[in-house]
Amino acid sequence: MTKINLREHYPNFYKNDCIIEVPDEVAVIMLEYDRLEAAYRRRTYYHNAHYSLDRGDGIEYDALFVAMTPCEIYERKVTMEQLHAAIASLPDKQAKRINARYFLGLTAEAIAKSEGISVTAVNSSIQRGLRNMEKFLKKCL
């Protein structure tokens, strides 16, 4: 068993020393990861590749795997619960059309064709549904 300090490996999460014992295999893997990470940083610095792709349109976020914090996970969960509650408060036709348009990615023309109605009726139904959802969500806040 090897003793490691978690603050050295996870400085964003551990502000104080937290020493634990881990199997030797785990310690070797963690040391190898640290070495690979340091080598990657040296290569990016050497090749002047330390620039950002982030233009504010989410490219960098999509290119890199960024782990969500517990606060972000909780916020997303609450937001999704509110969204589902708002959709559930709608009449069936509006809820189905909003679901088809925004979650399934169907066009208004495809929805109209499948229901045998005009595109204008689908669009107005979706707009009324969105307004109803907005009213519902404003009441929740």
Side-chain angles (χ1 to χ4, degrees), residues 79 82-83 86 132-141:
T79 303
Q82 290 173 344
L83 181 62
N132 290 338
M133 285 177 61
E134 181 181 14
K135 290 176 188 174
F136 180 85
L137 291 172
K138 283 183 179 178
K139 278 194 259 180
C140 290
L141 299 177

Side-chain angles (χ1 to χ4, degrees), residues 23-128:
D24 294 333
E25 297 85 16
V26 173
V28 168
I29 291 171
M30 291 181 81
L31 181 62
E32 180 65 22
Y33 173 77
D34 287 341
R35 288 180 180 157
L36 289 172
E37 187 70 23
Y40 173 75
R41 286 194 188 113
R42 283 193 304 272
R43 279 194 313 274
T44 56
Y45 180 76
Y46 178 78
H47 295 289
N48 292 323
H50 42 92
Y51 52 84
S52 176
L53 296 175
D54 194 12
R55 292 182 17 214
D57 58 357
I59 289 175
E60 186 174 59
Y61 186 82
D62 290 339
L64 302 174
F65 174 74
V66 179
M68 294 175 60
T69 65
C71 291
E72 291 172 333
I73 293 170
Y74 177 72
E75 186 176 302
R76 181 175 282 184
K77 179 183 175 191
V78 169
T79 303
M80 290 305 290
E81 288 173 356
Q82 290 173 344
L83 181 62
H84 288 294
I87 291 174
S89 72
L90 296 175
D92 284 339
K93 284 185 182 181
Q94 289 178 357
K96 287 178 184 177
R97 290 173 183 163
I98 287 175
N99 183 44
R101 178 70 183 103
Y102 294 105
F103 294 106
L104 300 179
L106 297 176
T107 62
E109 292 80 16
I111 297 169
K113 185 176 180 181
S114 69
E115 293 182 6
I117 59 174
S118 70
V119 177
T120 308
V122 171
N123 284 331
S124 64
S125 175
I126 289 173
Q127 292 303 317
R128 279 194 311 274

